[in-house]
Amino acid sequence: MNATAPAKIILFGEHAVVYGQPAIAVPVSGLRATATFLPGPNGSGLQIRAADLGAVLPVDIESGLVDNALSITARMVLHALGCAPPDGIINIESTIPMASGLGSGAAVTTALARALALAVGASFDSEELSHLVYEVEKIYHGTPSGIDNTVIVYEKPVYFVRNQPLEILSIGKPFTVIIGDTGQSALTRVAVGDVRKLVESQPERFNHTIGAIGEIARRARAAIELGQTVQLGPLMNENHHLLQGLTVSSPELDTLVQAALDAGAYGAKLSGGGRGGNMIALAPEDRIEAIQEGLIRAGAAHVFVSVVGLC
Ligand code: PMV
């Protein structure tokens, strides 16, 4: 019995989304977290095995410890479903780089919650599951906007505004995004906290930046819905520039962004919390390989290609 969940990228609006501005995120279905339940003998209890983390975790439903995201998730799922832990092992595997802006944590939580629900013969609707994943994200990320759990649980492109009803975005014409991983992990929580300090220290200046990022996301939405892919390039460049102003880029991200532009991308920007992690480039069909090569030459640890808008 297995269940999966995809990675995600933020196309526009990270950080500003924390302040109520819109953001656009899409699933990356080729990178996934998978949780597999293997039934065990009666009375053997439930264990979670995360091979990538080298961890084996017994699940004690009565424990109140804030110990590990996986055991917390399992306890929350069982409480929500009103079930005792099933006997067996849940194996977690993921092809999503960790702590790099691709939503690895939310994807693992989602896959685990789905597999555990299946194991006890239950299931979640997407709204319920998204809420549960958000609660787990909150423990580890402070004040997440909710964009990661939403795009990952629904596995659809979203136009996301904090505390507003979900809007699924329709894609006028599919387009190709190249994801370049700096190979440097970075904590979103730290970047979000630093942005908050900036906004509090110079509200006029930085609220203006945040409003400008929101305006870009609104214009990008219109271009995406109309299939005007080329118009997204300059919007991405402008968004990256504004994120640099919020101090969440890094020399490595800037190098990869420039390399993608030099190789013919329509536009490029960091994606996610920044300070490391991933950048994305919008690729004309005839420049996909050149951009991948350019990113590797410029030092990318991994490069992924994802087509947005293919069902
Ligand atoms: O989780 P990440 O690194 O993809 O980035 C989250 C996006 C932020 O806007 C920086 C934070 C948030 O909670 O929306």
Side-chain angles (χ1 to χ4, degrees):
M1 245 183 264
N2 77 29
T4 76
K8 69 96 204 355
I9 47 176
I10 297 181
L11 295 180
F12 294 95
E14 50 274 272
H15 286 287
V17 69
V18 173
Y19 298 86
Q21 296 293 333
I24 296 173
V26 296
V28 178
S29 296
L31 294 174
R32 305 192 77 86
T34 304
T36 309
F37 177 70
L38 307 163
N42 273 351
S44 59
L46 176 63
Q47 274 189 356
I48 300 172
R49 290 197 187 157
D52 299 345
L53 303 174
V56 181
L57 306 157
V59 175
D60 171 6
I61 193 167
E62 300 307 335
S63 167
L65 286 177
V66 180
D67 44 2
N68 175 287
L70 299 173
S71 33
I72 290 171
T73 302
R75 293 199 301 258
M76 283 172 65
V77 167
L78 294 168
H79 277 299
L81 298 172
C83 293
D87 292 317
I89 296 168
I90 296 186
N91 268 319
I92 310 270
E93 284 169 335
S94 175
T95 55
I96 310 170
M98 284 190 277
S100 62
L102 294 177
S104 138
V108 165
T109 305
T110 303
L112 169 58
R114 285 182 171 146
L116 187 47
L118 280 176
V120 297
S123 67
F124 285 109
D125 69 36
S126 296
E127 193 180 343
E128 233 179 331
L129 181 54
S130 182
H131 182 73
L132 189 144
V133 178
Y134 179 70
E135 291 301 314
V136 177
E137 292 277 287
K138 262 199 330 206
I139 300 172
Y140 289 91
H141 300 298
T143 53
S145 63
I147 193 167
D148 278 25
N149 49 288
T150 304
V151 64
I152 284 169
V153 168
Y154 286 86
E155 199 164 349
K156 293 267 194 288
V158 298
Y159 181 81
F160 181 87
V161 183
R162 195 171 191 166
N163 300 327
Q164 296 291 314
L166 170 69
E167 286 188 71
I168 305 284
L169 190 60
S170 72
I171 309 284
K173 195 170 119 208
F175 53 90
T176 303
V177 173
I178 317 246
I179 304 168
D181 185 356
T182 62
Q184 287 170 329
S185 58
L187 290 176
T188 299
R189 180 165 30 92
V190 174
V192 169
D194 289 351
V195 170
R196 184 162 299 283
K197 280 182 213 146
L198 284 184
V199 173
E200 283 169 0
S201 66
Q202 293 181 64
E204 206 166 308
R205 174 171 166 203
F206 289 107
N207 280 325
H208 183 265
T209 305
I210 281 164
I213 293 176
E215 191 48 37
I216 287 174
R218 285 183 202 94
R219 284 163 55 199
R221 174 193 192 152
I224 289 172
E225 287 179 338
L226 293 170
Q228 295 167 339
T229 305
V230 180
Q231 291 189 14
L232 296 174
L235 293 174
M236 288 172 83
N237 296 339
E238 178 64 10
N239 196 161
H240 185 69
H241 181 65
L242 291 165
L243 288 165
Q244 286 174 319
L246 291 178
T247 76
V248 294
S249 192
S250 69
E252 292 78 9
L253 282 165
D254 290 344
T255 299
L256 295 187
V257 163
Q258 192 55 50
L261 294 174
D262 291 346
Y266 289 132
K269 63 181 275 292
L270 72 85
S271 179
R275 297 268 171 88
N278 283 274
M279 51 71 68
I280 54 174
L282 182 61
E285 287 308 301
D286 61 348
R287 304 304 295 164
I288 294 173
E289 273 180 31
I291 295 168
Q292 286 179 267
E293 284 163 16
L295 288 172
I296 297 281
R297 262 200 311 277
H302 303 102
V303 173
F304 311 99
V305 179
S306 188
V307 182
V308 177
L310 284 185
C311 303

